[in-house]
Amino acid sequence: GFLSPVHFQVIDAARRGSLPDITALSNAWTDTPGLISPADALDVFLVHLAGNKVPATPEELFSISPNLAFASLLGLSKINAFFPGHPELIPRIAAKWPEIFKWSLYLYSTRIQGLDRTDQRRRTALDVLAGAWYSICNPDEIQAQMVRTPATVEIATRLWLEEDAGPIPSQVSVPV
């Protein structure tokens, strides 16, 4: 596909940490097939899911790094449709699973466990985290990494139990 200078600017700004640009990218990168390559989108998402960027304290739950990681998980929640045509994405995600998991654990503990069930941000976090995990868990290589990581099955079970437990309904239909 042909990328206009605007698309390059959005991808570049998202990579550098622009929250509005990564939010736009995460929400819309699949809307026009061929416009943004899955590899380019994944590059951006993985930059912000680096394990060394996870805050040491829960007080930072809505600071820039968690917000960029959250947007990146939203972007990952749309990647599964590209696995058949882009199998090269699978080992990249599998290799980064420990870092994705580290972020997932942080976001789960701060934005799901740490917020009241009536908080819409909690419901959104639950949907995004469940959606990202569901999207990436099907390929055997990624699934094997997930299962080998202590606490993955426990968190997946908690996400599944939480899915319909709150007063705010899910905005997505993702079986966890």
Side-chain angles (χ1 to χ4, degrees), residues 25-77:
L25 178 66
S26 295
N27 278 298
W29 75 273
T30 60
D31 289 354
T32 305
L35 186 63
I36 297 172
S37 80
D40 287 344
L42 183 60
D43 286 345
V44 173
F45 303 145
L46 292 179
V47 162
H48 300 298
L49 290 167
N52 64 350
K53 295 183 179 185
V54 178
T57 63
E59 288 77 38
E60 300 178 54
L61 75 150
F62 289 105
S63 65
I64 189 68
S65 288
N67 288 339
L68 292 169
F70 184 77
S72 296
L73 287 171
L74 174 63
L76 276 184
S77 73

Side-chain angles (χ1 to χ4, degrees), residues 18 23 26 31 33-34 38 44 51 57 64-65 68 70 78 96 102 111 117 130 139 151 172-173:
S18 163
T23 301
S26 295
D31 289 354
V44 173
T57 63
I64 189 68
S65 288
L68 292 169
F70 184 77
K78 302 172 183 194
K96 292 295 185 176
K102 190 174 179 181
R111 295 189 182 189
R117 288 183 182 271
V172 294
S173 60

Side-chain angles (χ1 to χ4, degrees), residues 36-164:
I36 297 172
S37 80
D40 287 344
L42 183 60
D43 286 345
V44 173
F45 303 145
L46 292 179
V47 162
H48 300 298
L49 290 167
N52 64 350
K53 295 183 179 185
V54 178
T57 63
E59 288 77 38
E60 300 178 54
L61 75 150
F62 289 105
S63 65
I64 189 68
S65 288
N67 288 339
L68 292 169
F70 184 77
S72 296
L73 287 171
L74 174 63
L76 276 184
S77 73
K78 302 172 183 194
I79 205 161
N80 61 329
F82 295 96
F83 290 150
H86 298 275
E88 71 280 1
L89 301 173
I90 296 168
R92 292 182 61 204
I93 295 170
K96 292 295 185 176
W97 169 251
E99 296 176 78
I100 294 167
F101 179 76
K102 190 174 179 181
W103 268 113
S104 297
L105 198 55
Y106 179 84
L107 293 168
Y108 179 83
S109 65
T110 58
R111 295 189 182 189
I112 297 171
Q113 281 185 323
L115 296 177
D116 187 86
R117 288 183 182 271
T118 60
D119 193 323
Q120 180 61 50
R121 297 173 302 179
R122 181 183 190 278
R123 176 79 254 174
T124 302
L126 187 56
D127 287 346
V128 167
L129 191 54
W133 281 31
Y134 180 73
S135 181
I136 66 172
C137 78
N138 208 21
D140 291 342
E141 188 177 345
I142 298 171
Q143 192 176 87
Q145 279 289 84
M146 292 175 86
V147 171
R148 277 195 296 269
T149 304
T152 298
V153 174
E154 178 186 349
I155 296 297
T157 302
R158 289 182 181 191
L159 289 171
W160 176 68
L161 291 171
E162 291 279 353
E163 194 172 28
D164 294 319

Side-chain angles (χ1 to χ4, degrees), residues 1-16 21 25 35-36 40:
F2 172 73
L3 281 181
S4 73
V6 171
H7 293 102
F8 279 121
Q9 289 171 354
V10 169
I11 291 169
D12 188 49
R15 184 178 287 110
R16 284 182 305 174
D21 288 299
L25 178 66
L35 186 63
I36 297 172
D40 287 344

